[in-house]
Amino acid sequence: MVFMNMGGPQTTDAVGPFLSRLFADADLIPLGRLQNYLGPLISRRRTPKIQNQYAAIGGGSPIRKWSEYQSAEMCKILDERCPESAPHKPYVAFRYADPLTEEMYQRLLDDGFGRQGRAVAFTQYPQYSCSTTGSSLNELWKWRIRLEGKEPEGGGVRWSVIDRWPVHPGLIEAFAQNIEAQLATYPAEVHKDVVLLFSAHSLPMSVVNRGDTYPAEVAATVHAVMTRLNFSNPYRLCWQSQVGPSAWLGAQTSDTVMAYVRKGHTDLILIPIAFTSDHIETLFELDQEVIHEAKQEGGTGVKRAESLNGSPTFIGALADVSERHLKSGEVCSRQMGIRCQGCKSERCLEQKRFFMNTERKVEEVIR
């Protein structure tokens, strides 16, 4: 069971290499023909600032700790529920930080999975985007070719993919429980007036306009959470972590919070709706920048809902998603078989062909 995610530097010394990989990834931050020049330039300039941010949250990202904990706990549950496919072995593959995809893949081969061993690539981005899950799958496909070849001896690793799960009931319940816990910290008389601000990582508009499904899937998660909460509070969806001068999906989280505080809505709960654990975007950007600035403007009631982290409800959801996938016989979702309307990436096409043809149980990729 391979957990795929962006990852994060565990130390401040690892920030530079992390940013170099991140800005080199055209799937995440498209810089056009100047990617190879601008990517290293931007990463070098941003490194000191980002190192200070990681120092402010304890010296490194906790995402590896939580990913390894979540995957290990999930596998314990799977061993009980799915004895026919046990034991289930947890792996973590990060796109930009250790353990990198190639490290994970080599471990798989060293552990004997290269001769028709079953492996599930389980994205920890519940809502699919070509810039996140798509990028991780592109990287996985690349290292499969490099380490196993196009027709590996013995058949190679047999892959299937959990590529999205934005409205899984367990995921929705875990989010709702954390929101209710934070709502309980406000005086009873203001509960119904607390504004719920769901915050997700933004995307460049060039990616959105290409037809990426991420905005719609994030909105589906938000609507499912509010349905579970019986639409008890006013709410909005906003977007964070814009990088660079190009147009990104908005409204931006920081601008949204300040606008509401200045309009007199001083009781707000920020909900990181596209993240499955804490990292720099929650611990620094939301906690130490957005909330701090809001309090300076009088937003004394601006708080953040706890991230999913070690939530037993969330880990149970991970197990349920995995169990259903293992027993379904499917290699991926139906959605993965169709490309974005404006996609011209041959790498994306070949990656989809590879994963969908692992077992011929779904239709050919739609060009």
Side-chain angles (χ1 to χ4, degrees):
M1 304 301 299
V2 179
F3 272 32
M4 300 188 306
N5 210 329
M6 175 182 292
Q10 290 187 273
T11 66
T12 54
D13 288 341
V15 169
F18 170 78
L19 292 179
S20 294
R21 298 184 191 104
L22 188 147
F23 283 100
D25 184 6
D27 292 323
L28 180 67
I29 302 178
L31 299 172
R33 289 178 294 178
L34 296 177
Q35 187 95 32
N36 291 336
Y37 169 75
L38 290 176
L41 178 65
I42 295 170
S43 66
R44 284 195 302 270
R45 289 186 174 181
R46 287 182 61 84
T47 293
K49 175 183 177 182
I50 304 303
Q51 284 178 322
N52 290 336
Q53 293 181 2
Y54 277 102
I57 65 168
S61 172
I63 191 170
R64 180 172 183 173
K65 176 191 76 173
W66 286 121
S67 296
E68 290 178 343
Y69 175 81
Q70 291 165 347
S71 60
E73 292 300 304
M74 180 198 75
C75 284
K76 292 177 185 178
I77 298 173
L78 283 179
D79 286 346
E80 295 179 0
R81 292 187 187 175
C82 305
E84 66 278 7
S85 54
H88 302 86
K89 189 173 177 63
Y91 294 82
V92 172
F94 287 152
R95 184 66 179 84
Y96 312 112
D98 293 334
L100 294 166
T101 303
E102 57 264 42
E103 298 172 35
M104 175 281 302
Y105 213 118
Q106 189 59 58
R107 279 188 59 215
L108 273 181
L109 298 178
D110 293 343
D111 290 346
F113 284 87
R115 293 184 177 273
Q116 291 288 297
R118 175 91 189 267
V120 178
F122 189 176
T123 180
Q124 293 306 293
Y125 308 100
Q127 305 92 1
Y128 183 93
S129 173
C130 295
S131 63
T132 53
T133 298
S135 176
S136 290
L137 290 174
N138 285 341
E139 190 76 356
L140 182 61
W141 171 72
K142 180 184 81 175
W143 284 103
R144 191 268 185 182
I145 299 299
R146 289 187 180 182
L147 294 176
E148 293 197 275
K150 290 188 176 181
E151 296 183 6
E153 182 181 351
V157 180
R158 291 188 302 120
W159 285 101
S160 63
V161 181
I162 300 173
D163 51 272
R164 69 198 77 208
W165 38 295
V167 293
H168 183 275
L171 174 71
I172 301 308
E173 180 63 25
F175 279 129
Q177 288 177 1
N178 286 354
I179 294 169
E180 289 173 331
Q182 191 62 276
L183 274 171
T185 67
Y186 291 86
E189 61 270 18
V190 304
H191 274 194
K192 64 182 178 62
D193 297 318
V194 176
V195 179
L196 306 182
L197 289 181
F198 295 88
S199 184
H201 202 295
S202 187
L203 280 183
M205 286 306 298
S206 59
V207 176
V208 175
N209 292 336
R210 192 170 66 208
D212 198 282
T213 61
Y214 176 73
E217 294 191 14
V218 172
T221 305
V222 171
H223 190 269
V225 171
M226 290 309 303
T227 300
R228 157 63 177 78
L229 295 173
N230 295 316
F231 295 92
S232 59
N233 293 73
Y235 70 99
R236 286 293 185 272
L237 170 58
C238 45
W239 309 87
Q240 65 179 91
S241 309
Q242 175 177 329
V243 178
S246 62
W248 284 59
L249 182 63
Q252 287 292 306
T253 299
S254 55
D255 295 340
T256 300
V257 171
M258 295 306 294
Y260 279 131
V261 168
R262 288 166 182 161
K263 291 175 182 177
H265 298 290
T266 56
D267 293 327
L268 308 168
I269 297 178
L270 288 161
I271 303 128
I273 197 64
F275 305 121
T276 55
S277 70
D278 274 323
H279 43 72
I280 194 75
E281 285 85 353
T282 58
L283 298 175
F284 187 84
E285 185 177 352
L286 293 183
D287 291 354
Q288 298 190 34
E289 287 188 330
V290 174
I291 293 178
H292 176 71
E293 292 173 5
K295 290 185 183 300
Q296 289 184 320
E297 291 289 325
T300 55
V302 179
K303 304 178 183 181
R304 177 173 69 86
E306 183 71 24
S307 296
L308 298 176
N309 293 338
S311 161
T313 301
F314 174 63
I315 292 170
L318 294 172
D320 187 64
V321 171
S322 298
E323 179 183 5
R324 293 185 187 189
H325 176 78
L326 289 168
K327 292 180 176 179
S328 72
E330 294 183 347
V331 295
C332 61
S333 75
R334 300 287 297 177
Q335 276 288 74
M336 189 171 156
I338 186 168
R339 300 167 75 195
C340 295
Q341 300 95 305
C343 180
K344 295 180 175 61
S345 170
E346 288 301 312
R347 182 172 62 166
C348 173
L349 175 61
E350 292 304 316
Q351 170 254 111
K352 286 178 179 289
R353 279 177 169 165
F354 167 72
F355 285 111
M356 293 191 70
N357 289 334
T358 303
E359 301 280 354
R360 299 179 183 277
K361 294 184 179 180
V362 284
E363 296 175 2
E364 183 179 0
V365 174
I366 301 171
R367 291 186 69 92

